[in-house]
Amino acid sequence: MAKTSFQAKKYMSEKKFERPLDTTTFLRIQKWYLFAFAAIAITIIVAQILIQFHINDQLDDSRIINVAGRQRAYSQKLVKEVLLLQQQLSISEKNEIVSDLKNTIQIWSISHQALQFGNDSMGLKKEEHKDILKLFTKITPHHDAMINSANKIIEQKNNSTTYLTPILKNEKIFLQLMDTIVNEYDTRSKKELQFLKYKEFLLFAFSLLILILEIIFIFRPLSFQIKRTITKLMKSQLESNNNTEKIQQLYQEKEKSLQELQELNFVIDNAALFASAKNDGSIVFISKKFQDLLGVTTQDLTKPLSEVLTTNEGQQQYLKEILKNNRKSIRTEEIKINNEKGQGIWLDISIIPLHQSSKKQSVLILCSDITERIENQAKVEQLKQQNFEDKMLQKKLQASQIVEGQEEERKRIAKDIHDGIGQMLTALKFNIESINIENTAKTAEKIAYLKTLCSDLIKGVRTATFNLTPPELKDHGIIPALQKMTIELTKLTGKNILFENKAEENIRFDSLAETNIYRVTQEAINNSIKYAESNYILLTINYVDGLLSVKIDDDGKGFDYRTIDKPPKNNSDGGMGLFYMKERISYINGRLFINTKPGEGTRVTINYKTNTANEN
């Protein structure tokens, strides 16, 4: 027995440190795959290094062949330019050919040296091939002879053939030897290319050999091993599925019991106000919180549910009828009940029919206490009614104030006509009646006075009619009317009233809007004239994207806007002008802004937004 126990412990210890099957298989496959891919990668890298090395050599050979071929072309170019110097040319033409000849000699000489000894700027390496160097040893004397003769011709600048003959003689030999050198370069390049193809073929064969060996010794054994491993896994999976199904059945039974408990707990914990009753109205169960709300005791639960819910007999009869009525759908309504404590409680009741297997119907009643909500709704309605009455009272007050303002305006107009125009008409009448035709000198003096009096009378009439309704407002619109107002007020008051029109065109608006904007602007300017003690008043008009903006700026003494922000109680109080201005702009759905501080001037801004403006 002790021996068996020892063996079991040993087995458990070995199992503890033994790697899982999937880990062991993965590590083995990973090792062989890494080895296989490393071998392929090394082969590819070596092949690429060799190929790139030989490609670079090929590029160098191509560059050398290109430069060598160019040497032949430059030798011919040199001969052509020397022959051109032998012709009858102008001095400027000869100088141009000499310049080209010098450039040809320089490039030709540099390229000749570079092909033998290398040149970094041209990308040429030093020539190491013995046969090619021997050919360059043969061609160099002919090259030097042609260059020396060309330089002599450049120095002499004459038409002598003394130096032309060596150039022509050596050119043929130079071209033949240069052809031989180019062919030698080409032969060498072909040999190296052939050698590269041979190396590439060997590398390709070696790569195929590695792949075949990997397939035989790595991939094929691994595939069998993976197959065996998958078979074991599938067998284990089948066993695991069987065990899972058994566990799932146990879990479902447990989950079902747990769900039933959770549903019961949910009803108890969350639907605190609930009760259930039979079809005859007798109580099956009622929650403790519901009992506390109704103020009933355990002894009262023997009564019908309708009598427990309320003490009011009419409500009891109504509840008894709706509880006994067989229904297939849920019924929800709000009911006010009276509990045992004499309190009135509003309940949101949901009556849910429950059809049992015995074909007898019972009901479940879920309730929510909505007393506070109903009371709040009543308070809100009361506040709405009070707010409506306050607004109506305010409107009446505003209407009476506007009427009083209109009466004051009529009194002012009547006073202006009586004190101004009326007195002038009376004086006109008396002066006309006092004219004595026989007294010629006195008559002429009185006629001159009558002319002055008539002019003043006309001016007064124009001022009075202008203050009432200017004709420009009806005929031409708000912008010309405001411009005319600034001109007239400047003449009448002597104030420096400026007008600036930033609107591109004259825009016409609704006549009511134009009248109210005109009156508010007129009131703002009159306030600046009367109270601001300003040096200037600037009226600015702008119209952008359907928004008319009228600004009245002055540099006067300003005022504390907070002191007159509320409507005055009567006309004798200050601020009636500002109150009327606000009312007029609000009437046309415009906005009025007043920015001012004591000692910092005042800006009044009128904004009127419309989509129905018409352009003249």
XYZ file of all heavy atoms in Angstrom, residues 527 559-568 573-579 582 594 596:
167
model
N -31.817 111.478 -27.928
C -31.254 111.302 -26.587
C -29.808 111.784 -26.533
O -29.379 112.406 -25.559
C -31.326 109.837 -26.164
C -32.745 109.410 -25.847
O -33.611 110.246 -25.591
N -32.997 108.104 -25.882
N -23.878 106.913 -19.492
C -24.737 106.798 -18.313
C -24.661 105.364 -17.808
O -24.114 104.462 -18.476
C -26.181 107.182 -18.628
C -26.815 106.346 -19.721
C -27.539 105.203 -19.407
C -26.679 106.711 -21.057
C -28.111 104.440 -20.400
C -27.255 105.942 -22.057
C -27.976 104.806 -21.724
N -25.198 105.145 -16.610
C -25.238 103.812 -16.009
C -26.519 103.124 -16.465
O -27.609 103.436 -15.990
C -25.181 103.911 -14.486
C -25.012 102.547 -13.826
O -25.012 101.538 -14.573
O -24.906 102.494 -12.596
N -26.373 102.185 -17.370
C -27.533 101.548 -17.993
C -28.345 100.733 -16.992
O -29.544 100.550 -17.152
C -27.055 100.657 -19.142
C -28.170 99.974 -19.900
C -29.072 100.709 -20.664
C -28.328 98.584 -19.836
C -30.089 100.081 -21.352
C -29.351 97.964 -20.525
C -30.229 98.718 -21.281
O -31.242 98.108 -21.963
N -27.691 100.232 -15.942
C -28.401 99.385 -14.972
C -29.467 100.159 -14.202
O -30.441 99.583 -13.733
C -27.402 98.786 -13.977
C -26.421 97.814 -14.631
C -25.378 97.373 -13.637
N -24.581 98.520 -13.178
C -23.596 98.430 -12.281
N -23.317 97.274 -11.720
N -22.908 99.501 -11.930
N -29.284 101.460 -14.071
C -30.239 102.248 -13.272
C -31.562 102.466 -13.992
O -32.567 102.773 -13.355
C -29.618 103.610 -12.914
O -29.321 104.309 -14.141
C -28.331 103.425 -12.116
N -31.587 102.298 -15.315
C -32.837 102.540 -16.062
C -33.174 101.349 -16.942
O -33.801 101.473 -17.979
C -32.723 103.812 -16.927
C -31.467 103.735 -17.820
C -32.683 105.048 -16.073
C -31.360 104.884 -18.775
N -32.725 100.143 -16.522
C -32.958 98.951 -17.324
C -34.391 98.437 -17.192
O -34.851 97.649 -17.991
C -31.970 97.856 -16.893
C -31.961 96.699 -17.864
O -32.309 96.923 -19.030
O -31.615 95.583 -17.452
N -35.121 98.891 -16.140
C -36.497 98.438 -15.934
C -37.482 99.500 -16.436
O -37.168 100.688 -16.432
C -36.733 98.164 -14.457
C -35.857 97.038 -13.917
C -36.128 96.805 -12.445
C -35.251 95.681 -11.909
N -35.480 95.437 -10.477
N -38.681 99.083 -16.841
C -39.674 100.067 -17.331
C -40.097 100.998 -16.212
O -40.286 100.583 -15.073
C -40.830 99.195 -17.821
C -40.668 97.890 -17.117
C -39.204 97.714 -16.912
N -40.266 102.301 -16.484
C -40.666 103.267 -15.459
C -42.126 103.102 -15.095
O -42.925 102.543 -15.833
C -40.405 104.608 -16.135
C -40.545 104.319 -17.585
C -40.069 102.920 -17.793
N -41.026 109.472 -14.810
C -39.760 108.809 -14.504
C -38.854 108.841 -15.719
O -39.279 108.953 -16.865
C -40.012 107.345 -14.101
C -40.775 107.265 -12.793
O -40.751 108.274 -12.062
O -41.388 106.218 -12.530
N -37.545 108.687 -15.463
C -36.593 108.639 -16.572
C -36.631 107.293 -17.260
O -37.103 106.303 -16.733
N -36.112 107.251 -18.461
C -35.960 105.995 -19.176
C -37.136 105.594 -20.029
O -37.180 104.486 -20.529
N -38.148 106.465 -20.194
C -39.274 106.105 -21.044
C -38.841 105.911 -22.486
O -39.332 105.031 -23.182
C -40.355 107.194 -20.957
C -41.183 107.145 -19.686
S -42.101 105.612 -19.505
C -43.249 105.751 -20.853
N -37.873 106.741 -22.941
C -37.391 106.621 -24.324
C -36.774 105.263 -24.577
O -37.063 104.604 -25.586
N -35.930 104.803 -23.664
C -35.308 103.493 -23.829
C -36.347 102.380 -23.779
O -36.255 101.393 -24.505
C -34.257 103.275 -22.734
C -33.043 104.205 -22.759
C -32.116 103.889 -21.610
C -32.307 104.073 -24.080
N -37.354 102.533 -22.908
C -38.417 101.526 -22.818
C -39.176 101.419 -24.140
O -39.432 100.324 -24.645
C -39.359 101.896 -21.679
C -40.577 101.026 -21.612
C -40.477 99.699 -21.207
C -41.820 101.531 -21.971
C -41.609 98.903 -21.150
C -42.947 100.730 -21.911
C -42.840 99.416 -21.501
N -37.066 99.681 -26.833
C -37.071 98.224 -26.694
C -38.383 97.629 -27.195
O -38.407 96.611 -27.889
C -36.864 97.837 -25.228
C -35.440 97.992 -24.737
C -35.347 97.489 -23.302
C -33.925 97.559 -22.796
N -33.810 97.056 -21.404
N -27.438 98.178 -26.046
C -26.950 99.484 -25.583
C -25.676 99.244 -24.783
O -25.698 98.556 -23.752
C -28.001 100.214 -24.721
C -29.273 100.447 -25.538
C -27.440 101.529 -24.188
C -30.409 101.071 -24.757
N -22.745 101.272 -22.853
C -22.385 102.590 -22.345
C -21.836 102.478 -20.933
O -22.141 101.525 -20.202
C -23.607 103.532 -22.351
O -23.198 104.819 -21.879
C -24.719 102.995 -21.464
